[in-house]
Amino acid sequence: MTIRAARPRRRQAAATAAMLAAAVLVLTGCSTGSDAVAQGGSFQFVSPGGQTEIFYDPPSARGTIGDISGPSLMDDDATLSLDDYAGKVVVLNVWGQWCGPCRAEVPALESVYEATRDQGVQFLGIDVRDYNKDKAQHFFRINDVSYPSIYDPPMRTLGALGNFPANVVPSTLVLDRQHRVAAVFLKALTAEELQPVVERIAAEQPAAP
């Protein structure tokens, strides 16, 4: 009797877990994955309960990411690196031209970049799973995107993001001037959502030497 009663409960628990996973899939744009929290000096992703907007404060609690670099999407002879933007707030956007929510948010990203670049803010795209480079370049041109993007179809650069959930596209990370993760968005963004966050982080006082 005990064994027979336990099996239906296990089936019910498995069905509930599947329904929750499906719900998260709907909320995260093109696909789904774990959310993120800081784990001390380095930044690691774990699941804190389905959040799609995560902020890390105070700044001393923020984790750092590894080196991010790769070939430029728009300049075949150039390599882009996070180290090129020392001392700047950096907005990393993981995207692909194949992804509808990614295409929809690009005008908002460009708008926020233009509004904040004079505050020491740099945007940097990471173009993933786009194996037709010409299409990705064409998309950037027709949308007049002025910030650079790393071209990374196999998603190698994401290894520097502390177990970042590679199947969450689009997603955006805002790094402070020390390139610690200050905010993570696991969804497509509007300018109204992103710009106040970027401006707040850009206005933070630099850490004492």
Side-chain angles (χ1 to χ4, degrees):
M1 295 293 294
T2 301
I3 295 174
R4 290 177 182 173
R7 286 174 178 167
R9 284 197 294 270
R10 285 197 293 269
R11 292 193 195 100
Q12 184 177 10
T16 300
M19 291 175 63
L20 289 173
V24 174
L25 176 65
V26 173
L27 288 173
T28 54
C30 287
S31 49
T32 186
S34 300
D35 293 348
V37 294
Q39 296 289 323
S42 61
F43 188 73
Q44 297 294 325
F45 281 79
V46 298
S47 177
Q51 299 176 64
T52 57
E53 299 182 10
I54 308 104
F55 305 94
Y56 305 98
D57 294 295
S60 60
R62 296 172 185 166
T64 57
I65 63 174
D67 178 55
I68 290 181
S69 62
S72 168
L73 171 65
M74 302 305 290
D75 184 348
D76 292 338
D77 297 322
T79 297
L80 302 172
S81 173
L82 181 61
D83 291 341
D84 296 336
Y85 310 116
K88 290 192 173 186
V89 170
V90 177
V91 180
L92 294 174
N93 177 249
V94 182
W95 70 285
Q97 64 82 26
W98 49 268
C99 168
C102 301
R103 294 195 299 271
E105 76 172 354
V106 160
L109 298 178
E110 177 65 23
S111 173
V112 177
Y113 176 51
E114 293 294 338
T116 60
R117 60 193 303 177
D118 290 341
Q119 300 172 43
V121 175
Q122 177 64 50
F123 277 47
L124 179 62
I126 303 177
D127 180 19
V128 299
R129 302 209 297 268
D130 249 337
Y131 289 95
N132 189 324
K133 191 174 185 179
D134 290 342
K135 284 187 177 180
Q137 291 174 330
H138 178 69
F139 176 76
F140 251 38
R141 290 190 186 100
I142 64 174
N143 284 280
D144 296 320
V145 178
S146 61
Y147 58 85
S149 186
I150 292 172
Y151 181 59
D152 185 21
M155 309 178 84
R156 294 191 183 96
T157 55
L158 299 193
L161 296 180
N163 297 322
F164 190 83
N167 55 339
V168 181
V169 183
S171 55
T172 299
L173 298 87
V174 184
L175 311 182
D176 64 19
R177 296 188 189 276
Q178 297 183 50
H179 295 172
R180 301 170 299 185
V181 179
V184 172
F185 298 92
L186 301 174
K187 63 175 188 176
L189 290 169
T190 65
E192 291 74 19
E193 290 172 314
L194 181 59
Q195 186 164 332
V197 175
V198 173
E199 290 181 337
R200 173 176 64 80
I201 295 167
E204 291 176 349
Q205 295 299 314

